[in-house]
Amino acid sequence: LLVSLRPAAQDDDPRLRAAGRVRELSELAHAEYEARRTARARDFYEEAARLAEEQLGDDHLLTADCADWLATCLYELAEYSRAGEQWERVLRMREKQQGPEHPDSIACLGSLAVAVKKQGDLKRARALYERALDIERRVLGPEHKDTATTMNNLAMCLKDQGDFESARPLLEQALAYHEKSSGPEGRYTMICLNNLAECVYGQGDVEKATTLFERALAVQERVLG
């Protein structure tokens, strides 16, 4: 039996060694995050993201993943500004690496919109949601779960701007999709139904809104108790 004493090729490659260390740090971060030790998870994610940026560069998918995980953790800690900054960076990397119509790029648009909205910039959040929805309608089609989710999120942004007229048809379409896909008692059906009721109430149609709220309440009582 002949055994080579030469180390494996990847041991000689500093980028591969760095990638291995980044993955180790990320796994530690994931474990802390799952255990709800979010602040500790953030520290590991920050270290992984820093190492990935320094050793792997912005052209590496793992660098984008690390920044994405860090952004999610920061968002959970209500550090919305920092989360938004990370998602801005992730979006640039995703679009360059995978293209603007890749599911990861579209998901990043939605995440960035959420962070931007949390900071009170409804105008920019609306633009991001509209951009994501335009891509999803073309790439995924109008009857896709992600398209329906973005419809709902855009609609709630429009509602918060007081544009109930534009929000309502989006919520009606999202509700129709979720009723068809998960039934009248599905989680997202309940969410969309309640959101539609709020929108209709905002339009001043109290009678219709009451009917929708009663319907939403009845479903929630059956499902949630």
Side-chain angles (χ1 to χ4, degrees):
L1 179 63
L2 296 178
V3 179
S4 172
L5 297 179
R6 176 174 168 74
Q10 59 263 33
D11 293 337
D12 295 333
D13 189 332
R15 274 172 62 92
L16 286 176
R17 287 200 303 272
R21 179 57 179 157
V22 168
R23 290 189 179 93
E24 288 174 1
L25 288 166
S26 298
E27 288 300 322
L28 288 171
H30 295 337
E32 296 292 342
Y33 187 84
E34 289 298 320
R36 299 187 182 279
R37 293 188 287 267
T38 315
R40 185 162 170 76
R42 176 195 55 202
D43 296 339
F44 283 121
Y45 281 131
E46 285 179 332
E47 189 175 351
R50 178 192 58 77
L51 183 61
E53 183 179 8
E54 290 177 357
Q55 300 296 321
L56 305 177
D58 285 354
D59 62 334
H60 200 291
L61 278 174
L62 187 54
T63 304
D65 288 340
C66 287
D68 207 346
W69 296 327
L70 173 58
T72 300
C73 191
L74 291 167
Y75 183 86
E76 288 297 318
L77 290 167
E79 296 185 41
Y80 303 125
S81 178
R82 289 192 62 204
E85 290 171 2
Q86 286 296 319
W87 272 318
E88 292 268 17
R89 181 166 165 254
V90 174
L91 182 60
R92 290 194 297 271
M93 287 189 283
R94 297 275 191 225
E95 290 185 331
K96 182 179 178 180
Q97 296 166 357
Q98 300 165 283
E101 295 185 351
H102 190 279
D104 289 346
S105 299
I106 302 171
C108 189
L109 269 175
S111 296
L112 177 57
V114 171
V116 168
K117 186 182 177 188
K118 278 290 188 179
Q119 294 175 72
D121 191 346
L122 294 176
K123 183 178 180 180
R124 181 151 188 248
R126 173 178 180 169
L128 289 165
Y129 280 132
E130 288 174 337
R131 181 176 160 196
L133 183 58
D134 178 65
I135 295 171
E136 286 171 337
R137 279 172 167 161
R138 287 187 286 103
V139 176
L140 304 176
E143 294 199 354
H144 189 279
K145 175 173 67 73
D146 292 347
T147 307
T149 298
T150 303
M151 282 182 184
N152 175 79
N153 293 342
L154 171 58
M156 296 309 289
C157 190
L158 292 166
K159 181 186 78 69
D160 290 345
Q161 286 185 306
D163 190 355
F164 302 107
E165 186 176 351
S166 298
R168 182 169 179 170
L170 289 170
L171 287 169
E172 289 171 340
Q173 290 176 66
L175 176 61
Y177 167 81
H178 288 301
E179 283 182 322
K180 182 179 178 181
S181 64
S182 59
E185 296 185 351
R187 176 171 176 261
Y188 291 106
T189 302
M190 288 189 287
I191 291 172
C192 283
L193 187 57
N194 195 73
N195 289 345
L196 177 59
E198 290 181 6
C199 182
V200 171
Y201 182 78
Q203 286 183 300
D205 190 344
V206 178
E207 184 177 350
K208 175 67 174 176
T210 300
T211 301
L212 289 167
F213 277 127
E214 287 174 342
R215 182 180 159 197
L217 179 61
V219 173
Q220 290 170 358
E221 287 179 336
R222 285 197 306 272
V223 175
L224 305 176

